[in-house]
Amino acid sequence: MLLQLEDVVLTYGKIEALHGLSIEVEEGEVVALIGANGAGKTSTMRAVSGVRGIHSGRIIFQGEDVTRLRADQRVRKGLCLAPEGRGIFPGMTVVENLEMGAYTRRDKAEIAKDFERVFGLFPRLEERKKQIAGTMSGGEQQMLAIGRALMARPKLLCLDEPSMGLAPMLIQQIFSIISEIAEQGTTILVVEQNAKQALSRADRAYVLETGNIVKTGTGADLLDDPSIREAYLGVA
Ligand code: ATP
């Protein structure tokens, strides 16, 4: 098992956002976490990546308890997040942003290979190498956020709402690239409001409602599930 969350409780002051969440991700899988606004998707990603500490429970990565490790320590172990709202460095160029993604690494030749990989996945980023990231379109910034996370050469890539704010055509494109990243051997945990795309690309998925997992299954099974279709796919 690559990642296990065991009974994770996450709080913001008096508000409990996650009430004892347990999820698992196996090596090589694409696992999706779907849910409505406020269900706790971003909070789950914060817990996994370590940008916010948890109140109780455990987070196990590659058999090691990482619950008390900071986010940067988790990145060094191969657990990397492309955050919601992109979180790129707006004043830096595309190349500088990608270099920041590799800041934990010293292996120059391997970093050069990863630049090639990222530019192969996102030719647009290569065309815009010198552009100041903050002046790029929303879709381009999303590509950059994913590219930057890949520069850490993660074992587990966590994506928080990669389709947020994108036009339908770009959503398709981003999900195709996510599938390609998975085919290249990176395990993926993706949090999404766009349930249809996420479920059709995921090996397995969890449905999150107000801080609890209410359903789990293969992406295909959940796509066929009448209650999921009604609640998340807008079809009865
Ligand atoms: P969305 O799709 O709208 O981003 P989400 O599923 O990602 O929603 P979270 O952002 O994880 O949901 O929020 C879960 C709950 O925690 C919500 O009730 C939210 O109001 C609350 N919450 C999130 N961040 C904070 C914070 N920094 N301080 C207080 N409460 C917060």
Side-chain angles (χ1 to χ4, degrees), residues 12 15 17 36-44 46 84 161 193:
Y12 300 103
I15 301 168
N37 285 120
K41 302 184 299 298
T42 295
S43 300
T44 305
R46 288 180 181 145
E84 182 184 38
E161 305 245 9
Q193 256 191 78

mmCIF file of all heavy atoms in Angstrom, residues 12 15 17 36-44 46 84 161 193, ligand 1:
data_model
loop_
_atom_site.group_PDB
_atom_site.id
_atom_site.type_symbol
_atom_site.label_atom_id
_atom_site.label_comp_id
_atom_site.label_asym_id
_atom_site.label_seq_id
_atom_site.Cartn_x
_atom_site.Cartn_y
_atom_site.Cartn_z
ATOM 1 N N TYR A 12 -10.645 22.882 12.188
ATOM 2 C CA TYR A 12 -10.284 24.298 12.079
ATOM 3 C C TYR A 12 -10.895 24.947 13.321
ATOM 4 O O TYR A 12 -12.105 25.175 13.348
ATOM 5 C CB TYR A 12 -10.882 24.933 10.826
ATOM 6 C CG TYR A 12 -10.436 24.276 9.520
ATOM 7 C CD1 TYR A 12 -11.279 23.407 8.837
ATOM 8 C CD2 TYR A 12 -9.195 24.571 8.962
ATOM 9 C CE1 TYR A 12 -10.878 22.829 7.629
ATOM 10 C CE2 TYR A 12 -8.784 24.003 7.755
ATOM 11 C CZ TYR A 12 -9.635 23.131 7.097
ATOM 12 O OH TYR A 12 -9.241 22.563 5.912
ATOM 13 N N ILE A 15 -14.395 23.875 14.446
ATOM 14 C CA ILE A 15 -15.056 23.163 13.345
ATOM 15 C C ILE A 15 -14.305 21.883 13.018
ATOM 16 O O ILE A 15 -13.100 21.903 12.778
ATOM 17 C CB ILE A 15 -15.084 24.038 12.070
ATOM 18 C CG1 ILE A 15 -15.830 25.339 12.336
ATOM 19 C CG2 ILE A 15 -15.700 23.285 10.891
ATOM 20 C CD1 ILE A 15 -15.664 26.375 11.244
ATOM 21 N N ALA A 17 -13.755 19.295 10.276
ATOM 22 C CA ALA A 17 -14.022 19.170 8.836
ATOM 23 C C ALA A 17 -13.949 17.723 8.360
ATOM 24 O O ALA A 17 -14.665 17.328 7.434
ATOM 25 C CB ALA A 17 -13.048 20.031 8.051
ATOM 26 N N ALA A 36 -19.325 17.191 -2.962
ATOM 27 C CA ALA A 36 -19.874 18.521 -3.244
ATOM 28 C C ALA A 36 -19.027 19.598 -2.554
ATOM 29 O O ALA A 36 -18.084 19.290 -1.831
ATOM 30 C CB ALA A 36 -21.319 18.583 -2.744
ATOM 31 N N ASN A 37 -19.407 20.855 -2.762
ATOM 32 C CA ASN A 37 -18.737 21.961 -2.082
ATOM 33 C C ASN A 37 -18.785 21.743 -0.579
ATOM 34 O O ASN A 37 -19.835 21.420 -0.033
ATOM 35 C CB ASN A 37 -19.437 23.298 -2.374
ATOM 36 C CG ASN A 37 -19.139 23.793 -3.770
ATOM 37 O OD1 ASN A 37 -20.040 23.971 -4.560
ATOM 38 N ND2 ASN A 37 -17.890 23.992 -4.068
ATOM 39 N N GLY A 38 -17.654 21.945 0.059
ATOM 40 C CA GLY A 38 -17.620 21.875 1.515
ATOM 41 C C GLY A 38 -17.597 20.463 2.077
ATOM 42 O O GLY A 38 -17.638 20.276 3.294
ATOM 43 N N ALA A 39 -17.503 19.454 1.219
ATOM 44 C CA ALA A 39 -17.517 18.063 1.705
ATOM 45 C C ALA A 39 -16.241 17.718 2.469
ATOM 46 O O ALA A 39 -16.241 16.806 3.301
ATOM 47 C CB ALA A 39 -17.694 17.105 0.521
ATOM 48 N N GLY A 40 -15.172 18.440 2.168
ATOM 49 C CA GLY A 40 -13.902 18.178 2.855
ATOM 50 C C GLY A 40 -12.801 17.699 1.925
ATOM 51 O O GLY A 40 -11.798 17.157 2.387
ATOM 52 N N LYS A 41 -12.969 17.927 0.632
ATOM 53 C CA LYS A 41 -11.987 17.438 -0.341
ATOM 54 C C LYS A 41 -10.635 18.127 -0.149
ATOM 55 O O LYS A 41 -9.598 17.477 -0.048
ATOM 56 C CB LYS A 41 -12.502 17.665 -1.773
ATOM 57 C CG LYS A 41 -13.841 16.979 -2.048
ATOM 58 C CD LYS A 41 -14.275 17.128 -3.498
ATOM 59 C CE LYS A 41 -14.491 18.560 -3.952
ATOM 60 N NZ LYS A 41 -15.556 19.280 -3.217
ATOM 61 N N THR A 42 -10.681 19.452 -0.101
ATOM 62 C CA THR A 42 -9.426 20.196 0.076
ATOM 63 C C THR A 42 -8.811 19.883 1.438
ATOM 64 O O THR A 42 -7.587 19.731 1.554
ATOM 65 C CB THR A 42 -9.688 21.712 -0.083
ATOM 66 O OG1 THR A 42 -10.099 21.935 -1.437
ATOM 67 C CG2 THR A 42 -8.449 22.538 0.208
ATOM 68 N N SER A 43 -9.644 19.754 2.448
ATOM 69 C CA SER A 43 -9.122 19.417 3.781
ATOM 70 C C SER A 43 -8.398 18.073 3.754
ATOM 71 O O SER A 43 -7.359 17.898 4.399
ATOM 72 C CB SER A 43 -10.265 19.370 4.796
ATOM 73 O OG SER A 43 -10.900 20.627 4.863
ATOM 74 N N THR A 44 -8.936 17.110 3.007
ATOM 75 C CA THR A 44 -8.272 15.807 2.887
ATOM 76 C C THR A 44 -6.893 15.973 2.258
ATOM 77 O O THR A 44 -5.909 15.398 2.731
ATOM 78 C CB THR A 44 -9.133 14.842 2.037
ATOM 79 O OG1 THR A 44 -10.433 14.765 2.621
ATOM 80 C CG2 THR A 44 -8.518 13.461 1.972
ATOM 81 N N ARG A 46 -5.083 18.636 2.282
ATOM 82 C CA ARG A 46 -4.201 19.327 3.243
ATOM 83 C C ARG A 46 -3.631 18.332 4.242
ATOM 84 O O ARG A 46 -2.459 18.397 4.613
ATOM 85 C CB ARG A 46 -4.972 20.410 3.995
ATOM 86 C CG ARG A 46 -5.284 21.606 3.129
ATOM 87 C CD ARG A 46 -6.050 22.676 3.921
ATOM 88 N NE ARG A 46 -6.354 23.797 3.071
ATOM 89 C CZ ARG A 46 -7.471 24.527 3.149
ATOM 90 N NH1 ARG A 46 -8.392 24.237 4.057
ATOM 91 N NH2 ARG A 46 -7.659 25.535 2.324
ATOM 92 N N GLU A 84 -5.170 23.297 -4.980
ATOM 93 C CA GLU A 84 -6.330 23.985 -5.560
ATOM 94 C C GLU A 84 -5.955 25.460 -5.743
ATOM 95 O O GLU A 84 -5.190 26.009 -4.952
ATOM 96 C CB GLU A 84 -7.494 23.877 -4.572
ATOM 97 C CG GLU A 84 -8.787 24.498 -5.050
ATOM 98 C CD GLU A 84 -9.859 24.430 -3.956
ATOM 99 O OE1 GLU A 84 -9.536 24.613 -2.770
ATOM 100 O OE2 GLU A 84 -11.009 24.194 -4.308
ATOM 101 N N GLU A 161 -8.587 19.452 -7.326
ATOM 102 C CA GLU A 161 -9.478 20.089 -8.297
ATOM 103 C C GLU A 161 -8.754 20.588 -9.548
ATOM 104 O O GLU A 161 -8.801 21.790 -9.861
ATOM 105 C CB GLU A 161 -10.203 21.275 -7.640
ATOM 106 C CG GLU A 161 -10.938 20.862 -6.387
ATOM 107 C CD GLU A 161 -12.453 21.009 -6.494
ATOM 108 O OE1 GLU A 161 -12.947 21.280 -7.612
ATOM 109 O OE2 GLU A 161 -13.103 20.824 -5.468
ATOM 110 N N GLN A 193 -14.577 18.014 -8.203
ATOM 111 C CA GLN A 193 -16.014 18.254 -8.230
ATOM 112 C C GLN A 193 -16.621 17.724 -9.513
ATOM 113 O O GLN A 193 -17.801 17.421 -9.582
ATOM 114 C CB GLN A 193 -16.264 19.755 -8.153
ATOM 115 C CG GLN A 193 -16.734 20.176 -6.781
ATOM 116 C CD GLN A 193 -17.225 21.590 -6.800
ATOM 117 O OE1 GLN A 193 -18.330 21.860 -7.248
ATOM 118 N NE2 GLN A 193 -16.392 22.479 -6.305
HETATM 119 P P1 ATP B 1 -14.920 23.040 -2.170
HETATM 120 O O1 ATP B 1 -15.211 22.111 -3.279
HETATM 121 O O2 ATP B 1 -16.004 24.068 -1.988
HETATM 122 O O3 ATP B 1 -13.545 23.619 -2.181
HETATM 123 P P2 ATP B 1 -14.173 21.033 -0.215
HETATM 124 O O4 ATP B 1 -14.855 19.724 -0.371
HETATM 125 O O5 ATP B 1 -12.781 21.140 -0.719
HETATM 126 O O6 ATP B 1 -15.078 22.170 -0.812
HETATM 127 P P3 ATP B 1 -13.115 21.925 2.315
HETATM 128 O O7 ATP B 1 -12.510 23.167 1.736
HETATM 129 O O8 ATP B 1 -12.214 20.830 2.703
HETATM 130 O O9 ATP B 1 -14.222 21.361 1.341
HETATM 131 O O10 ATP B 1 -14.001 22.364 3.550
HETATM 132 C C1 ATP B 1 -14.608 21.463 4.467
HETATM 133 C C2 ATP B 1 -15.219 22.242 5.609
HETATM 134 O O11 ATP B 1 -14.189 22.895 6.379
HETATM 135 C C3 ATP B 1 -16.159 23.359 5.153
HETATM 136 O O12 ATP B 1 -17.242 23.394 6.043
HETATM 137 C C4 ATP B 1 -15.322 24.608 5.283
HETATM 138 O O13 ATP B 1 -16.108 25.741 5.560
HETATM 139 C C5 ATP B 1 -14.396 24.292 6.428
HETATM 140 N N1 ATP B 1 -13.092 24.969 6.263
HETATM 141 C C6 ATP B 1 -12.224 24.793 5.263
HETATM 142 N N2 ATP B 1 -11.114 25.561 5.429
HETATM 143 C C7 ATP B 1 -11.303 26.245 6.586
HETATM 144 C C8 ATP B 1 -10.539 27.198 7.325
HETATM 145 N N3 ATP B 1 -9.340 27.591 6.900
HETATM 146 N N4 ATP B 1 -11.074 27.690 8.459
HETATM 147 C C9 ATP B 1 -12.300 27.279 8.892
HETATM 148 N N5 ATP B 1 -13.061 26.373 8.255
HETATM 149 C C10 ATP B 1 -12.587 25.868 7.119
#
